[in-house]
Amino acid sequence: MHYLIRSLKKFIVPSLVCTLLITIILIILCSITANNTAICNRIEIWIEACDYVDFFLPLIVCLVFTPFFYFINRRGFIKYAAVRTGRDRYLLTHFLASAICVVLIVGISYYSALCVSLNMTPETLVSENRLVDYVFGEYEVFHPYLFGVVWCLYKGVVAILFVFFGNLLAFYTDNLFVSVLGPFIYCMAENMITALLNIPMYSIMTAYILNRLSPSCMHAHNYVIGCFTYLLITSGIILIIRRRKVNDNVRN
């Protein structure tokens, strides 16, 4: 617990800055959406506004946390810390601290914007209730605040997957550019491939972007499958990169 608290302190400032920026951007987008889009339920303002930030979410969270892991590995600080606390314990503590911060960043920023949007007055209201046809539509319409808590926490957990992939790339590629952009590029590539294969419901982007596809395409299990597929493929990528690095070290 002592090492975890120390690790959390290292991420406090960047986490606060990131939370503030995302919240401000989301509220601005909510305001624009409320004035320019036909809305049937106020939560739709938030859903539409989140699409723009969701697209860059893998890049945003990696920009905040991945450079830290890159530099402690690049400068050999991990070897020094391993003597005092143990390498695995040191890394696990920092991974856990970054995971906690990611969930808080995503959860607080998105939920704050939701609370603001639910109190906005949209410029154009329509009578057709389109949300109830979606998987979680009834919860979105009748229990928006409760649904928002659960969904924002879930989105934070998905964001942890992006950060972990980026952090592992930082350890095994020694390339900051690849490490930060890796999860974002993966999401773009996977999104294109699943679209070409006509299975967009299994994309990781579909798993964390609310109501991205039409109601007929989505089921509750699609959100789990998208995350599982992401974990499976990215784990394979890391294992391949790690094996190549080990082989290179043996040759040298």
Side-chain angles (χ1 to χ4, degrees):
M1 183 60 67
H2 173 69
Y3 286 113
L4 178 60
I5 294 174
R6 291 181 60 184
S7 299
L8 286 170
K9 289 180 179 179
K10 297 177 182 179
F11 297 127
I12 287 179
V13 174
S15 297
L16 289 174
V17 172
C18 185
T19 302
L20 183 61
L21 287 176
I22 294 177
T23 303
I24 292 174
I25 292 172
L26 283 173
I27 292 175
I28 292 173
L29 290 173
C30 285
S31 178
I32 295 173
T33 303
N35 293 325
N36 297 333
T37 307
I39 300 297
C40 62
N41 296 99
R42 284 188 172 90
I43 194 173
E44 279 191 297
I45 299 172
W46 178 70
I47 295 172
E48 293 290 334
C50 286
D51 283 347
Y52 302 99
V53 179
D54 286 341
F55 181 81
F56 293 103
L57 186 61
L59 179 61
I60 294 171
V61 291
C62 287
L63 276 172
V64 176
F65 296 99
T66 299
F68 170 82
F69 290 89
Y70 168 80
F71 284 114
I72 63 173
N73 182 52
R74 184 73 173 178
R75 296 173 180 175
F77 189 75
I78 293 178
K79 296 179 180 179
Y80 167 75
V83 177
R84 301 179 58 189
T85 63
R87 182 178 185 273
D88 292 340
R89 182 181 180 184
Y90 178 78
L91 291 177
L92 181 60
T93 301
H94 280 81
F95 272 125
L96 181 58
S98 64
I100 293 172
C101 291
V102 169
V103 171
L104 291 176
I105 289 172
V106 175
I108 293 173
S109 58
Y110 275 84
Y111 192 73
S112 298
L114 170 64
C115 293
V116 173
S117 67
L118 290 175
N119 290 280
M120 287 182 174
T121 302
E123 187 72 22
T124 305
L125 280 170
V126 294
S127 57
E128 182 184 5
N129 196 339
R130 298 164 293 186
L131 287 181
V132 292
D133 295 329
Y134 286 93
V135 177
F136 307 116
E138 293 189 3
Y139 298 100
E140 296 171 36
V141 174
F142 301 110
H143 308 283
Y145 289 101
L146 178 60
F147 170 79
V149 171
V150 177
W151 181 258
C152 291
L153 290 176
Y154 163 77
K155 185 172 290 191
V157 172
V158 176
I160 291 175
L161 302 182
F162 301 140
V163 172
F164 277 7
F165 183 39
N167 293 347
L168 290 173
L169 286 174
F171 284 121
Y172 296 119
T173 64
D174 295 326
N175 189 313
L176 182 59
F177 183 77
V178 171
S179 304
V180 172
L181 287 179
F184 178 70
I185 293 174
Y186 171 89
C187 290
M188 297 301 102
E190 188 214 48
N191 183 54
M192 181 183 68
I193 293 171
T194 52
L196 291 174
L197 295 176
N198 201 29
I199 50 172
M201 69 287 295
Y202 300 131
S203 169
I204 184 65
M205 295 190 71
T206 302
Y208 75 91
I209 298 179
L210 186 60
N211 300 347
R212 181 171 180 250
L213 302 179
S214 62
S216 60
C217 296
M218 288 298 296
H219 303 280
H221 65 266
N222 292 132
Y223 295 97
V224 179
I225 293 176
C227 295
F228 177 78
T229 304
Y230 175 88
L231 275 173
L232 187 65
I233 297 176
T234 54
S235 297
I237 293 173
I238 293 299
L239 288 175
I240 293 172
I241 295 174
R242 181 177 180 272
R243 180 174 296 180
R244 288 184 177 180
K245 184 174 182 179
V246 170
N247 291 338
D248 291 340
N249 291 337
V250 171
R251 292 171 186 173
N252 296 330

